């Protein structure tokens, strides 16, 4: 076993498989729902970026390339000053939702380069301009652009054109669980010498002002030079070691009320005191003479020659030591890097290109860096004031008021720690699939976490995300659990049946919630609203139309068919070892049959178009098909399962029951779903029959419809020249192919499902086609691409689709990656060519990356796709 495998094995016996220290510090705490105490729920303006450096947070912390303990109490990050900026660079800058022409957006260049599950080795890179950072230019230019225009990015300002910037490479290497080495490498890429001030900052999360029973922690000087002591009543003592310097600063992590609210401060020692001290030389002596506080930083003022690298070592440990920076300590960084290499050599394919290996490594590094301390007690948030906004009854009936049971304080995988620094239930399900590649124990923990009593509502609803926990996302948790189970089983040779049982018990409750709440007519036709697909509909599917029209959703019904089949598969897997679950397998098989009947026979299929559509039930009892060719109509592909002969042999009651059920329904002229046998060794069951499968694949694989060079589009390109419009009771609604950034305002306007390529949907499509291919093998071929005259079996089609998606990330002969789009000039420079961003979605025509730029997150699924392609699918 590698060193990392040994550490993971030790962690696997813990109730919660977590290291005490990790990358748990958020990239953005400002502009979140948790920090919003306004009456009108305007989170972006209540705590905007301009407040972040001067205002103490109540529910978490943020910082640049930082770490914290798993309760977010003691935090570390790097702060910088180039001698020109009006503020220190303590955290990543970005636009609030009301400032960007496509919603919120980070405007920085940073990259998560490496990480391993125990975080014994982590590395990230930040690119810091030597000229004044163009804060106002980025705000003004983006605010003045329309939704039809591209976003104005940091590289568009020209500030990196002459390579006048520093690479700030932050590396963490643990000596042991509570002894963390820190190395900061500052490289000047410019052709001339340039100054930089570095402030390695240690501070405590401010709980003492919002929780009166919490004793205030303290960081204080000790007799030894180059060391401070951080004391916390629950954590005990930690010691922060730093190279000798003539300058260091103390302050308190408390709000500068005078600067923000014109209210006199109790003292000069406020959160942003370091900014004024370094930039304006204000209170510098007082901060340096102070002997204790809750925020501390030594100060290093460098002048870095052209091409030179300055290196700074620091150390955070629970042990007092005389010589913290011996050669043995500095050697730990190389030792841990080698251990990281050894670990990835055991889990990544051996015979792939260096470029593919680099993409996988950075995808998984970004996923591991996305772990974040998430703290939110809805009841306290609604009932306790923050001391700034006035107490209002309006808040008690506002956002999330019916989720008073929700009391989260956990380490959770975030979609993107800047753009989405809050968990989302269906995102998390996708995150857990690539997480199972590197740490299946933690992946299982995350799946189960959102089903725990302090997350799941008593009625069985899972929380969607903090902006509205009551929103409804696709029920993909059972699918995710099966994926994680199979990945671990293939890797270790043994499946975790106990995990499946825990998942199954909780998802039974959630499935029942769906049946009771989202099938209002009891006909197995499901609603659900936007279902995670923001603007996919011609109107906002989460808002009831002004009329009494009822929406019956093709994807809502398909997702539920998939859910029932996934729960059947879980029950079968368990029942092979525990017969008590055999009846449950039968129950979900029979429920799947009823959902399949609804999808295929109650008006969602259009025979003329050979496609599934949402249907609107009108007040006059007529129905209207919304003939939009989108992935809504393709979700029916996802519900497919293969039952092996050994299952029928062992589970005889299950076999007998489904046989009787089939005979009964056929005898009484009732619907029976697609069921096929292959040499009596296995049975295929799917939501759609073969003729509908081939019809959908014909559209899916057409380059004039869904198939792009980079994967499957969310909306057919057919609608580029054929926009769809519908008038409902005098109101006209329209939709057309929109391959880039969103031009609508749905859900904040920062994501677009009307044409771009989305990784999670492509992954589901590829997995489903592959499963059909496993059954049909060479007996079913399909034209790929449609109209090409080339026929492939379905496993080959799945591999070709995977290859298209992977091609978004890979280097071409010009050292360009399609996802970098117009920024390839910068990324083809020798120092940058191995840097990869993992965007939220990709342009439906060009493949350039769009939306959140560090969505690892679900875009880290690319790592699993590469492994599958390398293994032949």
């Amino acid at each position: 076993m590698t060193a990392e495998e040994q550490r993971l094995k030790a962690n696997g016996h813990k109730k919660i498989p977590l290291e005490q220290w990790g990358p748990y510090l958020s990239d953005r705490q400002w502009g979140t729902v948790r920090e919003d105490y306004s009456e009108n729920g305007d989170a972006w303006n209540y705590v905007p970026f301009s407040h972040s450096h001067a205002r103490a947070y109540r529910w978490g912390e943020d910082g640049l390339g930082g770490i914290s303990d798993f309760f977010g109490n003691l935090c570390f990050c790097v702060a910088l000053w180039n001698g020109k900026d009006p503020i220190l660079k303590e955290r990543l800058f970005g636009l609030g939702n009301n400032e960007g022409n496509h919603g919120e957006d980070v405007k920085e260049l940073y990259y998560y380069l490496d990480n391993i599950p125990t975080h014994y080795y982590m590395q990230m890179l930040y690119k810091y301009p030597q000229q004044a950072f163009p804060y106002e230019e980025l705000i003004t230019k983006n605010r003045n652009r329309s939704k039809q225009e591209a976003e104005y990015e940091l590289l568009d300002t020209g500030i990196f054109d002459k390579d006048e910037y520093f690479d700030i490479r932050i590396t963490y290497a643990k000596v042991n669980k509570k002894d963390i080495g820190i190395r900061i490498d500052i490289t000047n890429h410019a052709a001339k010498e340039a100054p930089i001030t570095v402030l390695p900052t240690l501070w405590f999360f401010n709980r003492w002002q919002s929780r009166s029973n919490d004793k205030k922690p303290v960081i204080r000087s000790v007799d030894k030079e180059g060391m401070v002591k951080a004391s916390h009543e629950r954590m005990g003592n930690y010691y922060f070691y730093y190279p000798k310097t003539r300058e260091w600063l103390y302050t308190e992590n408390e709000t500068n009320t005078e600067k923000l609210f014109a209210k006199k401060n109790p003292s000069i020692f406020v959160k942003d005191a370091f900014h004024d001290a370094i930039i304006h030389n204000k209170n510098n002596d007082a901060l340096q003479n102070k002997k204790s506080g809750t925020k501390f930083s030594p100060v290093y003022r460098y002048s870095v020659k052209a091409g030179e690298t300055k290196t700074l070592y620091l150390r955070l440990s629970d042990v007092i030591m005389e010589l913290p920076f011996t050669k043995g300590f500095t050697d730990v960084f190389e030792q841990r890097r080698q251990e990281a290499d050894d670990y990835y050599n055991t889990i990544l394919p051996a015979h792939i290109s260096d470029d593919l290996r680099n993409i996988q490594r950075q995808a998984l590094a970004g996923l591991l860096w996305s772990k974040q301390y998430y703290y939110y007690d809805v009841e306290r948030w609604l009932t306790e004031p923050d001391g700034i906004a006035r107490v209002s009854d309006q808040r008690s009936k506002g956002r999330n008021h019916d989720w008073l049971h929700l009391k989260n304080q956990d380490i959770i995988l975030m979609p993107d720690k800047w753009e989405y620094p809050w968990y989302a239930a269906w995102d998390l399900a996708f995150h857990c699939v690539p997480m199972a590649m590197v740490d299946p124990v933690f992946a299982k923990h995350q799946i189960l976490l959102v089903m725990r009593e302090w997350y799941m509502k008593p009625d069985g609803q899972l929380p969607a995300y903090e902006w509205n926990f009551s929103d409804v996302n696709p029920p993909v948790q059972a699918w995710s659990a099966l994926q994680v189970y199979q990945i671990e089983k293939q890797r270790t040779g043994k499946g975790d049946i106990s995990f499946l049982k825990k998942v199954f018990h909780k998802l039974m409750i959630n499935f029942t919630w769906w049946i009771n709440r989202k099938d209002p007519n009891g006909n197995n036709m499901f609603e659900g609203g936007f279902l995670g697909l923001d603007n996919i509909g011609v109107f906002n599917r989460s808002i009831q139309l002004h009329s009494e029209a009822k929406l019956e959703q093709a994807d809502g019904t398909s997702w539920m068919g998939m859910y029932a089949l996934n729960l059947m598969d879980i029950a079968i897997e368990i029942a092979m070892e525990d017969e008590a679950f055999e009846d449950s397998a039968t129950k979900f098989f029979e429920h799947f049959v009823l959902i399949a009947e609804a999808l295929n026979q109650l008006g969602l299929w259009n025979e003329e178009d050979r496609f599934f559509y949402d249907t609107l039930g009108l007040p006059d009892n007529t129905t209207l098909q919304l003939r939009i060719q989108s992935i809504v109509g393709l979700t029916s592909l996802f519900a497919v399962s293969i039952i092996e002969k050994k299952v029928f042999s062992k589970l005889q009651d299950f076999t007998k029951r489904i046989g009787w059920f089939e005979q009964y329904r056929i005898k009484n002229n009732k619907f029976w779903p697609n069921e096929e046998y292959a040499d009596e060794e296995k049975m295929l069951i799917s939501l759609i029959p073969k003729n509908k499968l081939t019809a959908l694949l014909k559209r899916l694989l057409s380059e004039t419809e869904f198939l792009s060079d980079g994967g499957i589009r969310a909306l057919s390109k057919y609608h580029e020249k054929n926009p769809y419009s519908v008038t409902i009771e005098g109101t006209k609604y329209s939709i057309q192919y929109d391959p880039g950034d969103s031009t609508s305002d749905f859900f904040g306007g920062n994501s677009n499902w009307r044409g771009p390529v989305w990784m999670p949907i492509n992954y589901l499509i590829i997995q489903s086609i592959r499963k059909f291919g496993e059954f049909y093998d060479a007996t079913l071929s399909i034209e790929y691409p449609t109209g090409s005259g080339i026929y492939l079996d379905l496993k080959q089609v799945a591999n070709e689709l995977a290859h298209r998606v992977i091609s978004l990330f890979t280097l071409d002969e010009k050292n360009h990656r399609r996802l970098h789009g117009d920024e390839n000039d910068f990324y083809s420079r020798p120092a940058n060519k191995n840097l990869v961003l993992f965007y939220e979605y990709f342009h439906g025509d060009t493949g350039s990356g769009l939306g959140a730029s560090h969505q690892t997150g679900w875009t880290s699924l690319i790592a699993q796709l590469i492994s599958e392609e390398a293994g032949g699918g």
Side-chain angles (χ1 to χ4, degrees):
M1 295 176 72
T2 65
E4 180 66 1
E5 286 174 307
Q6 293 175 41
R7 290 188 288 261
L8 284 172
K9 184 178 181 181
N11 281 352
H13 297 295
K14 295 180 181 178
K15 189 172 183 181
I16 300 176
L18 276 176
E19 285 285 321
Q20 182 167 347
W21 288 91
Y24 310 142
L25 187 67
S26 180
D27 287 342
R28 175 173 65 83
Q29 184 67 17
W30 61 272
T32 60
V33 167
R34 284 155 285 153
E35 299 295 335
D36 176 26
Y37 284 77
S38 66
E39 288 186 76
N40 63 348
D42 187 1
W44 289 105
N45 286 315
Y46 190 73
V47 184
F49 175 78
S50 59
H51 283 204
S52 62
H53 48 281
R55 191 163 173 173
Y57 300 128
R58 292 177 65 86
W59 297 97
E61 293 288 343
D62 59 17
L64 178 62
I67 60 172
S68 79
D69 67 280
F70 51 32
F71 282 114
N73 287 314
L74 186 56
C75 309
F76 171 86
C77 81
V78 178
L80 307 163
W81 189 51
N82 57 16
K84 299 181 178 67
D85 287 348
I87 56 174
L88 298 181
K89 181 65 69 175
E90 285 183 304
R91 59 186 53 78
L92 298 167
F93 168 73
L95 306 178
N97 182 265
N98 58 326
E99 294 173 322
N101 59 326
H102 299 116
E104 62 268 27
D105 191 35
V106 68
K107 300 297 184 185
E108 302 273 17
L109 298 182
Y110 63 105
Y111 313 86
Y112 296 117
L113 300 181
D114 217 346
N115 209 328
I116 51 178
T118 62
H119 314 302
Y120 266 63
Y121 186 76
M122 306 191 293
Q123 189 175 82
M124 70 90 66
L125 173 65
Y126 174 69
K127 292 184 177 288
Y128 188 37
Q130 293 169 6
Q131 300 302 315
F133 194 92
Y135 291 105
E136 289 304 317
E137 180 182 349
L138 287 164
I139 293 171
T140 303
K141 291 274 191 180
N142 280 285
R143 182 176 280 157
N144 292 333
R145 289 193 173 192
S146 71
K147 287 192 175 296
Q148 283 69 37
E149 294 177 275
E151 295 172 2
Y152 188 70
E153 303 293 3
L154 183 58
L155 285 171
D156 295 330
T157 68
I159 202 167
F160 288 92
D161 287 356
K162 298 179 181 178
D163 282 339
E164 292 179 345
Y165 69 89
F166 295 104
D167 266 355
I168 311 297
R169 193 176 295 259
I170 305 167
T171 308
Y172 297 94
K174 292 183 186 179
V175 179
N176 59 51
K177 290 177 179 293
K178 297 183 179 181
D179 188 352
I180 304 118
I182 305 164
R183 187 179 70 208
I184 306 169
D185 296 307
I186 306 109
T187 301
N188 181 3
H189 279 273
K192 58 184 178 181
E193 192 168 351
I196 186 170
T197 301
V198 183
L199 293 89
T201 306
L202 187 74
W203 76 100
F204 279 111
F205 172 32
N206 186 339
R207 296 179 189 265
W208 58 90
Q209 289 184 311
S210 61
R211 298 176 68 174
S212 57
N213 59 337
D214 271 37
K215 183 180 178 181
K216 186 176 180 177
V218 63
I219 304 170
R220 59 166 54 91
S221 297
V222 294
D223 293 338
K224 180 178 172 58
E225 189 177 3
M227 179 181 85
V228 294
K229 179 181 178 181
S231 300
H232 187 279
E233 63 177 336
R234 288 189 292 276
M235 293 181 66
N237 296 325
Y238 273 82
Y239 304 90
F240 182 51
Y241 300 94
Y242 56 93
K244 293 178 182 179
T245 176
R246 292 176 294 177
E247 194 176 353
W248 57 86
L249 304 171
Y250 279 101
T251 192
E252 303 295 339
N253 184 21
E254 297 178 359
T255 298
N256 187 337
T257 56
E258 188 172 315
K259 180 177 288 186
L260 299 181
F261 310 112
K263 181 181 177 182
K264 187 173 176 59
N265 289 317
S267 79
I268 63 171
F269 303 112
V270 290
K271 180 178 176 180
D272 64 335
F274 294 177
H275 294 252
D276 289 337
I278 296 296
I279 298 168
H280 305 296
N281 203 29
K282 181 180 178 182
N283 299 324
N284 203 312
D285 290 343
L287 269 64
Q288 184 147 344
N289 292 330
K290 186 173 167 63
K291 299 301 181 185
S292 66
T294 48
K295 185 175 180 180
F296 168 80
S297 179
V299 180
Y300 301 93
R301 299 179 187 267
Y302 295 125
S303 183
V304 188
K305 296 177 182 177
E308 183 185 12
T309 297
K310 296 279 189 182
T311 298
L312 179 62
Y313 285 100
L314 306 113
R315 190 168 184 174
L316 181 62
S317 176
D318 66 339
V319 174
I320 298 175
M321 57 191 78
E322 286 297 319
L323 299 171
F325 302 121
T326 62
K327 185 178 184 301
F329 167 74
T330 56
D331 287 347
V332 167
F333 289 85
E334 177 56 29
Q335 179 185 341
R336 297 296 183 240
R337 188 198 63 77
Q338 184 59 55
E339 289 173 358
D341 289 347
D342 293 343
Y343 182 64
Y344 280 109
N345 286 339
T346 68
I347 64 172
L348 300 184
H351 306 296
I352 58 174
S353 69
D354 290 343
D355 184 39
L356 286 174
R357 181 171 290 270
N358 175 59
I359 294 165
Q360 280 192 300
R361 186 86 169 246
Q362 288 188 47
L364 296 171
L367 177 66
L368 291 163
W369 271 95
S370 75
K371 292 183 185 179
Q372 179 185 306
Y373 170 68
Y374 185 87
Y375 181 31
Y376 190 18
D377 181 331
V378 172
E379 187 173 24
R380 281 189 57 216
W381 177 71
L382 287 172
T383 58
E384 297 179 6
D386 70 342
I388 298 171
R390 72 183 185 89
V391 179
S392 167
D393 290 338
Q394 188 173 337
R395 286 194 72 246
S396 66
K397 299 178 181 65
R399 178 179 281 133
N400 297 328
H401 70 274
D402 54 346
W403 287 80
L404 298 182
H405 76 286
L406 190 136
K407 302 180 190 306
N408 299 164
Q409 190 171 198
D410 295 288
I411 302 300
I412 316 180
L413 293 167
M414 298 293 122
D416 178 316
K417 282 170 69 173
W418 191 96
E419 190 116 1
Y420 305 111
W422 31 262
Y423 67 90
W426 90 301
D427 295 62
L428 185 61
F430 288 107
H431 304 171
C432 290
V433 176
M435 178 57 72
M437 295 174 64
V438 287
D439 189 352
V441 175
F442 186 74
K444 291 183 291 185
H445 165 72
Q446 292 285 282
I447 289 173
L448 289 167
L449 182 62
V450 291
M451 302 175 197
R452 295 305 303 268
E453 296 71 30
W454 54 95
Y455 287 83
M456 180 187 276
K457 248 187 174 182
D459 65 6
Q461 184 177 11
L462 294 174
Y465 46 80
E466 67 177 34
W467 289 94
N468 184 0
F469 283 128
S470 293
D471 264 346
V472 182
N473 289 156
V476 290
Q477 286 71 31
W479 169 84
S480 175
L482 276 169
Q483 292 278 309
V484 169
Y485 172 84
Q486 294 293 349
I487 290 171
E488 183 181 36
K489 187 176 181 179
Q490 290 167 11
R491 182 172 161 186
T492 66
K494 182 174 175 57
D496 187 347
I497 293 294
S498 176
F499 161 68
L500 287 185
K501 286 182 177 180
K502 291 176 183 178
V503 166
F504 188 79
H505 290 316
K506 289 300 180 73
L507 290 183
M508 284 271 287
I509 304 170
N510 178 247
F511 187 88
T512 303
W513 175 84
W514 271 89
I515 299 302
N516 291 338
R517 296 299 181 91
K518 296 301 172 183
D519 179 17
N521 298 321
N523 62 356
N524 295 296
M525 298 275 278
F526 290 87
E527 301 172 352
F530 83 114
L531 285 173
L533 311 181
D534 293 20
N535 62 347
I536 195 74
V538 68
F539 50 77
N540 188 338
R541 301 193 304 168
S542 288
I543 297 176
Q544 173 65 43
L545 292 174
H546 59 283
S547 72
E548 306 242 339
K550 297 290 184 184
L551 185 66
E552 292 180 328
Q553 297 180 214
D555 56 340
T557 305
S558 295
W559 286 119
M560 285 303 291
M562 173 185 173
Y563 197 0
L565 212 50
N566 292 153
L567 287 173
M568 181 200 75
D569 285 337
I570 291 175
I572 287 173
E573 190 72 19
I574 300 170
M576 296 298 283
E577 294 190 14
D578 184 346
E579 64 180 12
F581 284 77
E582 188 172 359
D583 285 354
S584 294
T586 304
K587 177 260 182 298
F588 284 107
F589 175 85
E590 294 188 3
H591 209 134
F592 168 79
V593 170
L594 300 178
I595 295 171
E597 178 181 38
L599 180 76
N600 284 279
Q601 294 200 331
L602 296 186
L604 298 177
W605 177 257
N606 184 295
E607 187 59 35
E608 179 185 352
D609 295 348
R610 310 283 289 160
F611 206 77
F612 286 107
Y613 297 122
D614 283 350
T615 299
L616 203 60
L618 301 175
D620 62 1
N621 292 323
T622 62
T623 59
L624 173 66
Q625 277 193 336
L626 303 175
R627 295 169 72 173
I628 305 163
Q629 293 171 21
S630 74
I631 54 172
V632 165
L634 298 174
T635 52
S636 56
L637 294 170
F638 303 158
V640 54
S641 179
I642 298 172
I643 304 175
E644 303 287 343
K645 182 180 180 180
K646 63 181 180 181
V647 172
F648 294 117
S649 299
K650 183 160 187 177
L651 306 184
Q652 294 185 12
D653 185 73
F654 171 75
T655 305
K656 181 179 177 181
R657 176 64 189 176
I658 64 172
W660 177 89
F661 194 48
E662 179 179 8
Q663 290 176 14
Y664 172 83
R665 291 187 66 83
I666 293 174
K667 181 179 178 181
N668 289 277
N669 297 316
K670 291 181 176 289
F671 175 84
W672 189 250
N674 188 50
E675 173 192 273
E676 299 181 49
Y677 291 86
D679 301 326
E680 297 186 356
E681 292 297 318
K682 54 188 176 183
M683 181 184 85
L684 175 81
I685 181 167
S686 61
L687 201 53
I688 51 175
K690 186 190 289 187
N691 65 324
K692 289 181 180 176
L693 169 66
T694 55
L696 290 176
L697 289 179
K698 184 177 180 180
R699 290 196 179 280
L700 180 85
L701 303 177
S702 170
E703 292 178 316
T704 61
E705 298 189 49
F706 287 98
L707 183 62
S708 78
D709 289 343
I712 301 302
R713 303 176 175 107
L715 184 77
S716 173
K717 194 175 173 68
Y718 165 82
H719 291 299
E720 183 175 40
K721 296 179 180 178
N722 301 276
Y724 176 79
S725 296
V726 61
T727 300
I728 305 171
E729 296 189 355
T731 302
K732 185 176 181 179
Y733 302 91
S734 298
I735 188 171
Q736 66 181 32
Y737 178 67
D738 201 359
D741 283 307
S742 175
T743 57
S744 76
D745 290 320
F746 290 6
F747 295 86
N750 64 334
S751 65
N752 181 27
W753 290 82
R754 295 182 172 183
V757 172
W758 287 79
M759 178 65 74
I761 295 299
N762 273 263
Y763 187 82
L764 283 170
I765 289 171
I766 291 166
Q767 296 300 311
S768 299
I769 292 175
R770 183 167 285 143
K771 180 157 281 190
F772 278 113
E774 288 171 8
F775 178 83
Y776 288 118
D777 203 12
T779 65
L780 177 61
S781 296
I782 197 83
E783 196 175 19
Y784 177 89
T786 301
S788 66
I790 300 170
Y791 285 82
L792 303 177
D793 66 45
L794 295 187
K795 284 191 289 186
Q796 292 172 321
V797 169
N799 290 339
E800 287 296 322
L801 291 178
H803 183 72
R804 288 197 182 214
V805 175
I806 292 167
S807 74
L808 292 169
F809 296 80
T810 52
L811 283 170
D812 64 15
E813 64 280 356
K814 296 179 181 178
N815 283 332
H816 288 182
R817 302 180 196 273
R818 277 197 292 139
L819 63 87
H820 286 147
D822 293 338
E823 297 180 344
N824 264 302
D825 176 65
F826 178 78
Y827 285 105
S828 61
R829 298 176 194 176
N832 303 328
K833 76 170 190 175
N834 290 325
L835 300 176
V836 186
L837 291 172
F838 297 87
Y839 286 94
E840 184 179 4
Y841 53 101
F842 304 87
H843 195 284
D845 293 334
T846 68
S848 58
L850 300 166
S853 54
H854 295 74
Q855 189 91 353
T856 50
W858 59 26
T859 302
S860 61
L861 284 164
I862 191 65
Q864 178 67 8
L865 274 184
I866 291 171
S867 284
E868 289 174 0
E869 187 184 50

